Amino acid sequence: MDVIRDILDNQLVDSNQRKMGKVDGIVIELRDREPARLAYIEVGVTTLTRRLNPRLAGFVATIASKWGAKQSEPFRIPWSKVRDIGIDVEVDVEAEATPALGYEKWLRDRIIARIPGGG
C-alpha cells in the first residue's frame, strides 16, 4: 500500500458513514530493531498547516485558542480503528463523540448561529 497516496488527504468517515474531515496527517512509530508501523491518523487544522509551514501551524493554534476553540491539538485515531481504505477511509469511531468536528461545531455556534436565518 502506498500510504501517502491511499490515505493522506482522503475523506474520513465514521462508523455511521458521517464525514468527519480529511486525513491531515499520518503518525508512524519507530521501534528499535523492528519495522516502523502505522500508529495513528491525525485530523486537525494544525496538522494540515504544519504540513505547509511549521511556523504557520503555531500561529493557527494560537489564534484558535484565543478565539475560544476548545481543541487546537490534532485528534488522533489509532490505526487499529481503521476499518476500510477505499475511496474513503472508514474508521470505527463515532464522529459526534470525538473532537474531530470541533471546528465545525465552533463555526456553527459562534459564526453561523449569529447570521440572520443561519441558526
Side-chain angles (χ1 to χ4, degrees):
M1 174 189 327
D2 186 342
V3 174
I4 302 299
R5 182 196 68 212
D6 294 341
I7 300 171
L8 198 61
D9 294 328
N10 282 358
Q11 182 66 54
L12 189 63
V13 294
D14 73 356
S15 53
N16 297 318
Q17 298 300 309
R18 169 135 192 224
K19 292 180 180 179
M20 47 188 299
K22 302 273 185 172
V23 176
D24 296 317
I26 299 169
V27 178
I28 297 174
E29 184 178 88
L30 301 175
R31 303 175 293 174
D32 288 337
R33 298 186 185 114
E34 292 186 42
R37 74 174 188 95
L38 294 172
Y40 302 97
I41 54 177
E42 285 188 336
V43 179
V45 70
T46 49
T47 299
L48 180 61
T49 53
R50 187 178 324 123
R51 285 174 45 200
L52 300 172
N53 184 318
R55 290 176 63 195
L56 180 62
F59 176 74
V60 168
T62 300
I63 294 299
S65 65
K66 286 186 180 185
W67 282 2
K70 293 178 182 171
Q71 178 149 359
S72 60
E73 291 298 313
F75 172 62
R76 287 186 168 181
I77 300 170
W79 184 253
S80 61
K81 297 285 186 180
V82 174
R83 294 292 171 232
D84 187 35
I85 298 170
I87 295 172
D88 298 330
V89 176
E90 185 177 330
V91 293
D92 190 22
V93 297
E94 300 258 346
E96 289 294 327
T98 70
L101 301 177
Y103 284 103
E104 181 179 311
K105 291 176 184 177
W106 181 85
L107 281 171
R108 180 189 63 209
D109 297 343
R110 301 276 179 130
I111 307 296
I112 303 299
R114 294 180 181 184
I115 297 172

